[in-house]
Amino acid sequence: MVGVSAALLGVWLTGVERRTRLVVPFSAGVLLGVAVFGVLPELALEAGWPISLLLFGGGYGLLIAINRFAYPVCPTCAHDHDHNSCSTELHGFAAPLIAAAALHSFLDGWSIATAQWAAPLGLRVAVPLAVALHKIPEGIALGGILRASVSSRPMALAWCILAEGSTLLGGVAGVVMAPRLGTTWILYPLGLTAGWVFYLGFHAVHEEWKRCGPAPAFVSALTGVAGAAVIQRGAEALFR
């Protein structure tokens, strides 16, 4: 519910044109903050920095390959792109963002479920609370960028609910399968997802830079990065 509520807030904030100029780069900055200050450090604690950076780079490179050879994730990056024909500000971002958010939410649900049977009492409480806290910046970023990536608010709302609702699916799967599979395998898709999310955040900021100049884009983006970093590292300090 926390993730869905935060995503709905992001959609609402991006729903007015004059706010969009600030909310889109802010949301992109939150995505960058989630990847760099949330997912990557947690991954490094479990797998070490070399493997974490390799997975992170693999996720980033995967979207580069998809963008170039399969699906135009960032069509506006092309020099011959006619921006006046765009139906949405960040068209092309919706599908990979939904996929990344759904996978990340699934893994969050799995983590909560596995903590309940494999962790001491303190972690059984701390893990769900930490996940709920990091859902706030993650959800706002998802809603804000999705609203700028699809043609209507109802469509953005529906995709947000679907993506964040994958947390429940992951929880159910964790209860059923975690005793057999364990948790180590989560590190690999999580690392790829971090690089994937970083790609989307970086290029969303780049698009706003081209639209309205470096100052508005970077000030809002850095605010989003800082907010995500404070929430996520604060949650870690609180619950560790």
Side-chain angles (χ1 to χ4, degrees):
M1 286 300 297
V2 175
V4 171
S5 300
L8 298 183
L9 175 61
V11 170
W12 176 76
L13 288 173
T14 319
V16 178
E17 180 64 27
R18 59 187 175 83
R19 288 201 300 252
T20 302
R21 295 272 73 81
L22 296 175
V23 176
V24 170
F26 174 82
S27 299
V30 171
L31 279 184
L32 295 174
V34 166
V36 174
F37 295 101
V39 180
L40 191 57
E42 291 296 323
L43 187 65
L45 285 175
E46 299 294 333
W49 280 105
I51 293 177
S52 300
L53 292 175
L54 182 63
L55 291 170
F56 186 91
Y60 191 94
L62 178 62
L63 269 198
I64 291 178
I66 291 173
N67 182 66
R68 180 168 298 181
F69 302 112
Y71 173 85
V73 176
C74 183
T76 52
C77 295
H79 295 295
D80 58 352
H81 175 74
D82 180 13
H83 194 75
N84 293 325
S85 65
C86 297
S87 58
T88 58
E89 292 184 58
L90 296 176
H91 69 290
F93 279 59
L97 180 59
I98 293 165
L103 176 58
H104 193 175
S105 295
F106 180 90
L107 297 175
D108 283 340
W110 186 291
S111 298
I112 292 173
T114 55
Q116 301 311 304
W117 67 267
L121 179 60
L123 284 180
R124 290 183 219 168
V125 177
V127 169
L129 288 177
V131 169
L133 282 176
H134 97 253
K135 284 286 187 184
I136 297 172
E138 174 191 301
I140 292 173
L142 173 65
I145 293 185
L146 263 184
R147 180 62 188 95
S149 305
V150 299
S151 58
S152 69
R153 183 181 293 183
M155 185 182 298
L157 292 174
W159 283 119
C160 285
I161 293 172
L162 178 65
E164 291 293 343
S166 296
T167 306
L168 295 176
L169 182 62
V172 172
V175 170
V176 175
M177 298 299 297
R180 302 176 185 176
L181 299 179
T183 58
T184 304
W185 68 272
I186 289 179
L187 300 176
Y188 301 100
L190 190 61
L192 294 174
T193 302
W196 190 300
V197 166
F198 186 88
Y199 176 99
L200 295 171
F202 174 79
H203 283 281
V205 173
H206 184 238
E207 289 311 301
E208 290 305 306
W209 178 10
K210 293 195 295 186
R211 286 173 181 273
C212 53
F218 283 116
V219 169
S220 293
L222 289 175
T223 302
V225 170
V230 167
I231 290 175
Q232 293 181 120
R233 304 326 298 167
E236 179 188 350
L238 182 63
F239 295 119
R240 283 192 180 278

